[in-house]
Amino acid sequence: MVDLGKILGAGTDVKRLQEVVDFVLSRKDDLMVSAQLAAELPALLKVLATGLAESGKHASNAGTALTGASGATGRLSDGTKAMASISTSLTVIAKLVGDAADDVAKVPLMSGPAKELASAAHALGDTKANLDALAGNLDEVSAVLSTVGKALEQLGTSLGATGGEAAKLAGA
């Protein structure tokens, strides 16, 4: 039998040392799994870092696609400007048709065509109002897309930074 007290020196608590050895021996399977995880952790961190960086890039690209003059919000803005121009034209046309209806109504026996022209002028006015409402709705959609786009760009930046930090931890 080996005398650990002589090997380790005087004052060594051999009983306490035996408890530590027993603890390690009783948990050796758990310690092996932990050691294996610790050995695999750098590779896992590299995969995580790469995934976060790629996700960040995609989120930023999606945000950029939504915002700005060449993005969805810019195209919606162009569409609402075109609708405003059409709406202005409809207002002018509706007024011309309404004025024509008034003039035609003054001619004897033309009340039927005058009513038709007045109805057409009213329909043009309704169409203009619907077009204006649609343009307003598109402006609201554009505002939501702009908010989402900016959030995606910020998310992309954060994911990219987190991926960079994970890469540093992995030693990459």
Side-chain angles (χ1 to χ4, degrees):
M1 178 173 205
V2 176
D3 186 356
L4 289 176
K6 287 184 180 180
I7 296 173
L8 297 174
T12 302
D13 186 354
V14 176
K15 187 174 183 183
R16 182 73 180 132
L17 184 59
Q18 184 62 47
E19 289 174 4
V20 170
V21 170
D22 290 343
F23 176 82
V24 169
L25 288 175
S26 70
R27 307 278 190 306
K28 74 177 180 179
D29 291 339
D30 293 338
L31 291 171
M32 292 293 283
V33 169
S34 296
Q36 184 178 358
L37 283 174
E40 294 173 359
L41 188 59
L44 291 173
L45 283 173
K46 286 179 185 177
V47 169
L48 176 66
T50 301
L52 287 171
E54 286 295 315
S55 295
K57 188 186 313 177
H58 292 304
S60 290
N61 289 342
T64 300
L66 290 176
T67 58
S70 63
T73 57
R75 291 182 179 153
L76 284 171
S77 177
D78 292 345
T80 56
K81 287 175 187 170
M83 286 182 192
S85 176
I86 293 167
S87 178
T88 300
S89 296
L90 286 174
T91 300
V92 171
I93 293 168
K95 179 163 179 11
L96 289 173
V97 172
D99 290 347
D102 292 341
D103 291 342
V104 170
K106 294 176 186 174
V107 176
L109 303 172
M110 294 298 288
S111 65
K115 286 181 186 175
E116 292 295 324
L117 284 173
S119 178
H122 183 68
L124 286 168
D126 288 346
T127 300
K128 179 221 181 290
N130 289 336
L131 189 62
D132 289 343
L134 177 59
N137 289 339
L138 289 178
D139 279 338
E140 290 175 15
V141 168
S142 179
V144 169
L145 289 177
S146 179
T147 300
V148 170
K150 289 175 185 171
L152 282 170
E153 288 173 349
Q154 290 174 347
L155 175 64
T157 300
S158 295
L159 286 173
T162 303
E165 290 300 314
K168 286 179 191 175
L169 286 174

